[in-house]
Every structure is written in C-alpha cells, then in structure tokens.
Amino acid sequence: MDKQVQLMGEYVSKLRAMVGDAQASYIVSNALFSITIGANDFLSNYFLIPTSARKLQFTLPQYQDFLITKLRQQIKV
C-alpha cells in the first residue's frame, strides 16, 4: 500500500504540472477512488504460510483489525 500512496502523490504532482493547481485539485477532489486487496494478500499471509508470524501473533479478528488500522494510517499520508 505504501507504494500505491507514493505513486498517487507522484500522479498528483504531474497532474498539477500539466493543468495547474486549481484544476488538479478539482480533478482529485471529484475523483472516485477504489482501494482493493486481493484475497491472496490476506489468505497467503495468514493461512497458507506454515509458520506465518501473523497467525502466531493475531487471532483472525485481530488480524483483520490490524490490517484496517494499517490501511487507515496509510490513507492519512
């Protein structure tokens, strides 16, 4: 997710250079954003790796909360 946030910042910078600050702000503030993760990201990291540190560290509901917290932190960047 960190990389996607970085790429979004780069995109906004390039957009501002192309259309100016006001128009870039308008475009971004009126855009629809979708944040998705693949099932493999979740399943592999929790269930499929035999000695998964995450499975040893968290129950399944705790792991879900952990991921949501991490996502919220990254979105605030």
Side-chain angles (χ1 to χ4, degrees):
M1 186 68 183
D2 292 334
K3 184 66 173 177
Q4 287 84 354
V5 172
Q6 176 191 342
L7 291 172
M8 179 63 183
E10 291 173 14
Y11 166 76
V12 172
S13 294
K14 291 176 184 178
L15 184 63
R16 287 176 195 236
M18 290 175 61
V19 300
D21 287 341
Q23 185 64 18
S25 293
Y26 176 81
I27 291 169
V28 172
S29 65
N30 288 288
L32 176 65
F33 296 92
S34 173
I35 299 172
T36 60
I37 63 168
N40 287 344
D41 296 331
F42 185 87
L43 295 174
S44 293
N45 287 316
Y46 191 80
F47 289 111
L48 299 180
I49 300 172
T51 58
S52 171
R54 298 297 185 205
K55 193 171 185 178
L56 299 173
Q57 186 179 9
F58 302 108
T59 65
L60 185 55
Q62 290 170 333
Y63 184 55
Q64 292 168 338
D65 291 341
F66 169 77
L67 292 177
I68 290 168
T69 299
K70 285 294 195 184
L71 179 61
R72 285 184 177 143
Q73 290 170 350
Q74 292 174 338
I75 290 173
K76 290 181 183 178
V77 170

